[in-house]
Amino acid sequence: MKRIHTQWARRVAALGLVVGLTAGLQAAGVAQSVSGRAYGAYASTPLGSTAQAPLAVLPYGSGTDGNVAHAESDGLSAGSALSADFLNSITSGATGRWGDASAGGAQSVASVGTVNILSGLITATGVIANVASTRTASGAVSDANGSSFSNLVVAGTPVTSGEGTVAPNTRMNLPNVGYVVLNEQTLTGDGVTSSGITVNMIHVVMQQPILGLLGQVIGYQTVGNIIVGSASSGVN
């Protein structure tokens, strides 16, 4: 019961952040368009199975009054590759009023409860991806502040004790599987009139070796991806 209450608190907090952002933008006047997208988990395995939930996508442009998209799911399972519960996705953004094209913004949040990847190879009791993009007269910027893990363990090694985060784009090898990138961040835009960010809190890349004529390993090919906690936002 405590886990359910904790997840509900996270959902309410995330919604408050997004609604607050949208209200502020309406007062300031906003840019030409904003974008947002969030989902709790995704799995594509070597066997060809694919699962994704829950997906929330901000309507293109957003409008002067702002828009909010929200989706949630009690759980997602992709065999032994992934199980996750209490998934919640929300994204919000607004474009300007009074013809003011100097300001705008969007925010996306994806939260997940208990996570189990590849039969316990990676586990966590909570994952939150939180991103925001804003544009003002002084420029455009995006960040992933507020993103975090709870009790993250990778290959038997505790990565966070309680709630915490790791440095962006932290990579850890997973023997006989591939590798995982934690707090994976990708930035776009020129930082002046446009800015965007995508964060994948857990991104497992499943690989198989490519063998040469003599049986030696000459490279690796990607055969699957598992993503937990993905959020994107953008403004231009």
Side-chain angles (χ1 to χ4, degrees):
M1 186 64 67
K2 181 178 179 182
R3 182 177 62 187
I4 295 176
H5 288 168
T6 300
Q7 184 63 17
W8 176 250
R10 287 175 177 169
R11 293 179 182 183
V12 172
L15 180 59
L17 285 171
V18 175
V19 172
L21 171 66
T22 302
L25 291 176
Q26 291 174 14
V30 295
Q32 295 180 355
S33 67
V34 294
S35 60
R37 175 185 175 96
Y39 61 87
Y42 166 87
S44 176
T45 69
L47 298 178
S49 60
T50 301
Q52 182 184 41
L55 175 64
V57 180
L58 190 67
Y60 178 76
S62 187
T64 58
D65 293 328
N67 271 305
V68 176
H70 174 244
E72 62 181 69
S73 174
D74 289 336
L76 175 68
S77 178
S80 62
L82 170 68
S83 65
D85 59 19
F86 303 109
L87 302 97
N88 186 71
S89 304
I90 187 167
T91 181
S92 177
T95 54
R97 287 180 172 179
W98 313 298
D100 183 354
S102 65
Q107 183 175 16
S108 300
V109 181
S111 64
V112 185
T114 302
V115 176
N116 188 314
I117 299 174
L118 297 172
S119 301
L121 184 63
I122 299 174
T123 61
T125 59
V127 177
I128 298 177
N130 181 64
V131 297
S133 298
T134 58
R135 172 181 164 180
T136 66
S138 60
V141 65
S142 297
D143 65 61
N145 297 338
S147 299
S148 66
F149 302 99
S150 294
N151 301 308
L152 175 65
V153 179
V154 177
T157 301
V159 178
T160 64
S161 177
E163 186 170 338
T165 189
V166 300
N169 301 310
T170 295
R171 174 169 166 161
M172 300 176 68
N173 290 329
L174 302 173
N176 302 316
V177 173
Y179 63 92
V180 60
V181 182
L182 304 173
N183 194 12
E184 180 182 56
Q185 297 185 18
T186 303
L187 291 166
T188 59
D190 58 17
V192 179
T193 61
S194 63
S195 182
I197 186 172
T198 295
V199 59
N200 297 317
M201 293 303 290
I202 302 175
H203 183 185
V204 176
V205 179
M206 307 171 71
Q207 296 180 314
Q208 288 182 347
I210 301 172
L211 303 180
L213 295 177
L214 301 178
Q216 76 277 24
V217 177
I218 60 174
Y220 292 88
Q221 61 179 342
T222 298
V223 296
N225 287 275
I226 300 171
I227 297 173
V228 175
S230 180
S232 302
S233 61
V235 61
N236 60 59

